[in-house]
Amino acid sequence: AMASFVITRPLLLAALLVASADALVAPAVRVTAVHLAAPRASVVASAEPTRRSAMATLLSAPAALALATFAPSAALAGESKANARLASLGLPPLANVNGYIQLAEFIGKSGPANIDGEKTRGFVLPSPLIVAFSYPQTWVTALPTTSSNGESGTVSAGNYIKGDSAAFVAAPANGAKSGSGLSKASLAYSVTCSATADVYQDVKVGKIVKREGAGDYVTFEYSYTLLTRAGFEVDRRGVGAATVVNDQLTGLITATTALRWKTESEKLMNLANSFAVYPVKKSAVSSESRAE
C-alpha cells in the first residue's frame, strides 16, 4: 500500500515554495515537485516516502533557487557571444527579445564547395558576411562547414520536427541597389534558390514592406506548395527579410506549414525583423579564427 501523511500548514508553504522554484528554474534545473490536491492532501511517491524524506525534498528548494540565480544559462551565453562578436566588428547589437536567442555567424569564409561532385554549389559571395538574427530558444542551429573542398551549408535555425525553419540565402539582385528596389520575382527566387526547382510550385510573394529601423531591409510574406519525394504535397507559408549587399540579394527565409501558420506567424515575423547582414573583411574572420 502507498504511504500517506497529513501536510500541516508549514509543510504546505514549503511545498508551494518548491512548486514555484520548479517553475522558475525549468528547464535548466529541475526540482522534484509535490502534487497537492487540497490543504490536507496525501503526498504520493513510488518509493513510499517518509516524513523525513518529504522534508528533505521540500528543503532542497533554496539550493535549486540558488542554482537558477547564479548559473548562467546556455541562452544567455549565446546572447553574450553574438553581441560580443558584433561589437568587436563595430556593428550594432541585436535587440533582446524574451524567449529568443541571438545568433551572429560568419559565412563565406572560403570558396563554395562543389557538393558531391555535382555542379550544384554553395552561395558564391564576393566577401565574407556576418549573418545575425534572433531565433526561438526551443530551436536548434545549423552552421556552415568548411573542408578542403570548400564551404557548404548556411546559417540556419529551426524546429525541424514541426517543420519550422529560418535560413540565410544569397541570390541575384537583378540590378537592384537596395532592399526597397528588389522585385517580387527576385524575392520569389530567393525562397527557392537553396533547393532544386522541381520541389516547389506556386510560389507567391505578397506585399513587400519597407522595414522600420536601421538599414534598407524589406519584409514580405509568401506561400508555396512543397512536393515531397514521397509524392505528397505540403502547403507552406513564411516571412522573408532581404536587403542588397555587394550587389547581391541577401536574406533570411523563414517558413512553417500552412496548418501551423496561425500559431507560428508571429515568431517568423520576429525572426525576419531581427535579421541583419553585413560584409566583413577576410582579415577580421581570420583574426577571430586565430583567437579561438
CSV table of all heavy atoms in Angstrom, one decimal, residues 19 22 24 47 58 67 73 112 131 179 193 208 210 220 226 251 263 266 275 287:
chain,number,residue,atom,x,y,z
A,19,ALA,N,7.2,24.2,-5.7
A,19,ALA,CA,6.5,24.3,-7.0
A,19,ALA,C,6.9,25.6,-7.7
A,19,ALA,O,7.1,25.6,-8.9
A,19,ALA,CB,5.0,24.3,-6.8
A,22,ASP,N,10.4,25.2,-9.0
A,22,ASP,CA,10.5,24.3,-10.1
A,22,ASP,C,10.1,25.1,-11.4
A,22,ASP,O,10.7,24.9,-12.5
A,22,ASP,CB,9.5,23.2,-9.9
A,22,ASP,CG,9.7,22.0,-11.0
A,22,ASP,OD1,10.9,21.7,-11.2
A,22,ASP,OD2,8.7,21.6,-11.6
A,24,LEU,N,10.5,28.3,-11.9
A,24,LEU,CA,11.4,29.3,-12.2
A,24,LEU,C,12.7,28.7,-12.9
A,24,LEU,O,13.2,29.3,-13.8
A,24,LEU,CB,11.9,30.0,-10.9
A,24,LEU,CG,10.9,31.0,-10.3
A,24,LEU,CD1,11.4,31.4,-9.0
A,24,LEU,CD2,10.8,32.2,-11.3
A,47,ALA,N,8.3,5.3,-4.1
A,47,ALA,CA,9.2,4.7,-3.1
A,47,ALA,C,8.6,4.8,-1.7
A,47,ALA,O,9.4,4.6,-0.8
A,47,ALA,CB,10.5,5.4,-3.2
A,58,LEU,N,11.5,19.0,0.3
A,58,LEU,CA,10.9,20.3,0.4
A,58,LEU,C,12.0,21.3,0.7
A,58,LEU,O,12.1,22.4,0.1
A,58,LEU,CB,9.9,20.4,1.5
A,58,LEU,CG,8.6,19.6,1.2
A,58,LEU,CD1,7.7,19.7,2.5
A,58,LEU,CD2,7.9,20.1,0.0
A,67,LEU,N,20.9,27.8,-7.6
A,67,LEU,CA,21.5,27.4,-8.9
A,67,LEU,C,20.9,28.2,-10.0
A,67,LEU,O,21.6,28.6,-10.9
A,67,LEU,CB,21.2,25.9,-9.1
A,67,LEU,CG,22.1,25.0,-8.3
A,67,LEU,CD1,21.6,23.5,-8.5
A,67,LEU,CD2,23.6,25.1,-8.8
A,73,SER,N,22.6,30.5,-18.1
A,73,SER,CA,22.0,29.5,-19.0
A,73,SER,C,22.8,29.6,-20.3
A,73,SER,O,23.5,30.5,-20.6
A,73,SER,CB,20.6,29.8,-19.2
A,73,SER,OG,20.4,31.0,-19.9
A,112,PRO,N,32.9,28.4,-52.2
A,112,PRO,CA,31.8,27.4,-52.1
A,112,PRO,C,32.2,26.0,-52.5
A,112,PRO,O,33.0,25.9,-53.4
A,112,PRO,CB,30.7,28.0,-53.0
A,112,PRO,CG,31.5,28.8,-54.0
A,112,PRO,CD,32.6,29.4,-53.3
A,131,VAL,N,26.1,37.1,-40.5
A,131,VAL,CA,24.7,37.0,-40.5
A,131,VAL,C,24.2,36.9,-39.1
A,131,VAL,O,24.7,36.1,-38.3
A,131,VAL,CB,24.2,35.7,-41.3
A,131,VAL,CG1,22.7,35.5,-41.2
A,131,VAL,CG2,24.7,35.7,-42.7
A,179,GLY,N,17.5,47.2,-50.7
A,179,GLY,CA,16.4,46.3,-50.4
A,179,GLY,C,15.0,46.7,-51.0
A,179,GLY,O,14.3,45.9,-51.5
A,193,CYS,N,15.9,29.3,-54.0
A,193,CYS,CA,17.3,29.2,-54.6
A,193,CYS,C,18.1,28.2,-53.9
A,193,CYS,O,19.1,27.8,-54.5
A,193,CYS,CB,17.9,30.6,-54.6
A,193,CYS,SG,18.3,31.2,-53.0
A,208,ILE,N,5.2,43.7,-50.3
A,208,ILE,CA,6.6,44.0,-49.8
A,208,ILE,C,6.6,45.2,-49.0
A,208,ILE,O,6.0,46.3,-49.4
A,208,ILE,CB,7.6,44.2,-51.0
A,208,ILE,CG1,7.5,43.0,-51.9
A,208,ILE,CG2,9.0,44.5,-50.5
A,208,ILE,CD1,8.3,43.2,-53.2
A,210,LYS,N,8.7,48.0,-46.5
A,210,LYS,CA,10.0,48.5,-46.0
A,210,LYS,C,10.0,48.4,-44.5
A,210,LYS,O,9.2,48.9,-43.8
A,210,LYS,CB,10.1,50.0,-46.4
A,210,LYS,CG,11.3,50.7,-45.9
A,210,LYS,CD,12.6,50.3,-46.7
A,210,LYS,CE,13.7,51.3,-46.4
A,210,LYS,NZ,14.2,51.4,-45.0
A,220,PHE,N,8.5,40.5,-46.3
A,220,PHE,CA,7.4,40.0,-47.2
A,220,PHE,C,6.9,38.7,-46.8
A,220,PHE,O,7.6,37.9,-46.2
A,220,PHE,CB,7.8,40.0,-48.7
A,220,PHE,CG,9.0,39.0,-48.9
A,220,PHE,CD1,8.8,37.7,-49.3
A,220,PHE,CD2,10.3,39.4,-48.7
A,220,PHE,CE1,9.8,36.8,-49.5
A,220,PHE,CE2,11.4,38.5,-48.9
A,220,PHE,CZ,11.1,37.2,-49.3
A,226,LEU,N,5.1,22.5,-51.4
A,226,LEU,CA,6.2,21.7,-51.5
A,226,LEU,C,5.9,20.3,-52.0
A,226,LEU,O,4.9,19.7,-51.4
A,226,LEU,CB,6.9,21.6,-50.1
A,226,LEU,CG,8.0,20.6,-49.9
A,226,LEU,CD1,9.2,21.1,-50.7
A,226,LEU,CD2,8.4,20.5,-48.4
A,251,GLY,N,19.3,37.5,-47.7
A,251,GLY,CA,18.0,37.5,-46.9
A,251,GLY,C,17.9,36.3,-46.0
A,251,GLY,O,18.8,35.4,-45.9
A,263,THR,N,-0.4,30.0,-35.6
A,263,THR,CA,0.2,30.0,-34.3
A,263,THR,C,1.7,30.4,-34.4
A,263,THR,O,2.3,30.9,-33.4
A,263,THR,CB,0.2,28.6,-33.6
A,263,THR,OG1,0.8,27.6,-34.4
A,263,THR,CG2,-1.3,28.2,-33.3
A,266,GLU,N,3.8,34.9,-35.9
A,266,GLU,CA,4.4,35.9,-35.1
A,266,GLU,C,5.9,35.6,-34.8
A,266,GLU,O,6.7,36.6,-34.9
A,266,GLU,CB,3.7,36.1,-33.7
A,266,GLU,CG,4.2,37.2,-32.9
A,266,GLU,CD,3.5,37.4,-31.6
A,266,GLU,OE1,2.4,36.7,-31.4
A,266,GLU,OE2,3.9,38.3,-30.8
A,275,PHE,N,16.6,40.2,-38.4
A,275,PHE,CA,17.7,39.8,-39.3
A,275,PHE,C,18.5,41.0,-39.7
A,275,PHE,O,18.1,42.1,-40.0
A,275,PHE,CB,17.1,39.2,-40.6
A,275,PHE,CG,18.0,39.0,-41.7
A,275,PHE,CD1,19.1,38.1,-41.6
A,275,PHE,CD2,17.9,39.8,-42.9
A,275,PHE,CE1,20.0,38.0,-42.7
A,275,PHE,CE2,18.8,39.6,-43.9
A,275,PHE,CZ,19.8,38.7,-43.8
A,287,SER,N,41.4,36.8,-38.0
A,287,SER,CA,41.9,37.1,-36.7
A,287,SER,C,41.0,36.5,-35.6
A,287,SER,O,41.5,36.0,-34.6
A,287,SER,CB,41.9,38.7,-36.5
A,287,SER,OG,40.6,39.2,-36.6
